[in-house]
Amino acid sequence: MSECTHNCDTCTLNCESKGGIQKEKANDKSSIKKAVAVVSGKGGVGKSLTTGLLATLAQRMGYKTAILDADITGPSIPRMYKFTQPATADGEALVPAVTATGIKVMSVNLLLENETDPVIWRGPVIAGTVKQFYTDVNWGDIDIMFIDMPPGTGDVPLTVFQSIPVDGMVVVTSPQELVQMVVQKAVNMASMLNIPVLGVVENMSYLECPDCGKKIELYGESKLEEAKKIIGTEIGARMPINPKLAAACDKGMIELFEGDWLNNIISEILK
């Protein structure tokens, strides 16, 4: 498998710096000022949750916000916002669904007849769909777009980083040692493609006792500081295991969450 050698004379990849792959342009009716990818090395660490919380914070701060759900085979963003209407079309382009507070969202589950219908597509088709979510959707005027990425370093992450003008990424991890190793792979991929890391979120970092307030580290001692050094960022956040937050997501009420866990991350993103 070909990899970037950072030497255009010997590298076999047909990347943008060699005049090959060019960044895609958004729909003519769209103006997207900044795009940030939310990534993880493996599934199940809270990447979609982090995406939803960051988008909610940005919208609360008065920014016109959007979410592009690039996790085609495992979309969970629509459930967090409890959409009553699917995405539509205006004759020229797809039109994203809009949450109760005004966040624009495009996800494959907003196009399916039933949210439980499986998406049984091969990698190139999935990657092409993600690209179309950027180019063929009338996003309108957007200050900040969050891209909820699938885990790992496969076709879709590569397509997003190479084809969509991504300004930076937020890495989501958890305290386990194994996860830290897997995250490093995703970070190395982003480094090869010159995508800056804006911050790292350690999800499931602790459980706060409702009686005494003590922080219980169910998955072992926090590795956030270690992860920040490995990833190369000074911006980090610890997200707790919070039953109320989980219940809010299940009920489609993520926009009502209360918590300041990600305030420093969103401040760095919106600089």
Side-chain angles (χ1 to χ4, degrees):
M1 181 176 63
S2 299
E3 294 184 353
C4 179
T5 64
H6 301 285
N7 183 340
C8 291
D9 293 331
T10 60
C11 183
T12 59
L13 289 180
N14 189 30
C15 65
E16 183 182 16
S17 61
K18 295 169 64 176
I21 298 174
Q22 302 294 323
K23 298 291 185 182
E24 297 289 342
K25 292 183 179 179
N27 180 274
D28 289 340
K29 296 181 180 179
S30 303
S31 173
I32 301 168
K33 297 179 178 64
K34 178 180 283 189
V36 172
V38 181
V39 308
S40 65
K42 65 183 296 296
V45 297
K47 172 178 42 57
S48 295
L49 170 63
T50 301
T51 301
L53 295 180
L54 289 173
T56 298
L57 287 172
Q59 188 73 12
R60 286 179 183 176
M61 296 168 69
Y63 291 87
K64 296 174 183 177
T65 308
I67 298 176
L68 190 162
D69 188 356
D71 197 352
I72 301 297
T73 59
S76 53
I77 291 294
R79 174 62 67 91
M80 293 182 185
Y81 292 96
K82 198 176 182 178
F83 287 103
T84 58
Q85 297 293 328
T88 57
D90 61 7
E92 297 180 359
L94 290 170
V95 178
V98 182
T99 72
T101 64
I103 301 170
K104 295 182 179 181
V105 177
M106 178 53 70
S107 171
V108 73
N109 259 20
L110 296 172
L111 302 173
L112 299 177
E113 184 175 351
N114 300 299
E115 68 172 11
T116 56
D117 290 344
V119 178
I120 309 174
W121 299 343
R122 295 191 183 276
V125 177
I126 294 174
T129 300
V130 171
K131 193 185 298 186
Q132 285 183 296
F133 279 178
Y134 185 78
T135 61
D136 295 356
V137 172
N138 180 2
W139 290 102
D141 187 18
I142 297 297
D143 295 317
I144 176 72
M145 170 182 281
F146 293 95
I147 304 175
D148 184 21
M149 301 276 276
T153 57
D155 285 343
V156 174
L158 183 61
T159 295
V160 171
F161 287 145
Q162 286 190 327
S163 303
I164 297 176
V166 175
D167 298 284
M169 73 178 196
V170 173
V171 180
V172 183
T173 182
S174 65
Q176 295 97 319
E177 295 272 358
L178 173 62
V179 175
Q180 300 294 340
M181 180 273 293
V182 177
V183 163
Q184 183 69 66
K185 292 179 180 290
V187 173
N188 287 343
M189 175 184 181
S191 176
M192 286 177 163
L193 298 170
N194 298 315
I195 307 296
V197 177
L198 303 177
V200 56
V201 176
E202 183 180 75
N203 190 32
M204 299 178 285
S205 186
Y206 60 90
L207 172 68
E208 186 171 329
C209 175
D211 296 322
C212 66
K214 179 181 178 180
K215 293 182 179 179
I216 305 167
E217 297 179 327
L218 293 177
Y219 295 110
E221 185 178 351
S222 171
K223 303 293 192 306
L224 179 60
E225 294 305 315
E226 177 185 337
K228 285 162 59 177
K229 290 179 181 178
I230 292 172
I231 294 170
T233 179
E234 297 180 357
I235 309 299
R238 297 181 69 187
M239 280 276 294
I241 298 172
N242 188 309
K244 290 183 179 179
L245 184 57
C249 290
D250 288 341
K251 295 177 181 178
M253 302 170 65
I254 190 173
E255 290 169 295
L256 299 181
F257 93 94
E258 297 179 359
D260 59 1
W261 314 292
L262 300 177
N263 284 3
N264 63 333
I265 300 286
I266 195 65
S267 295
E268 180 68 17
I269 289 172
L270 297 175
K271 277 185 178 179

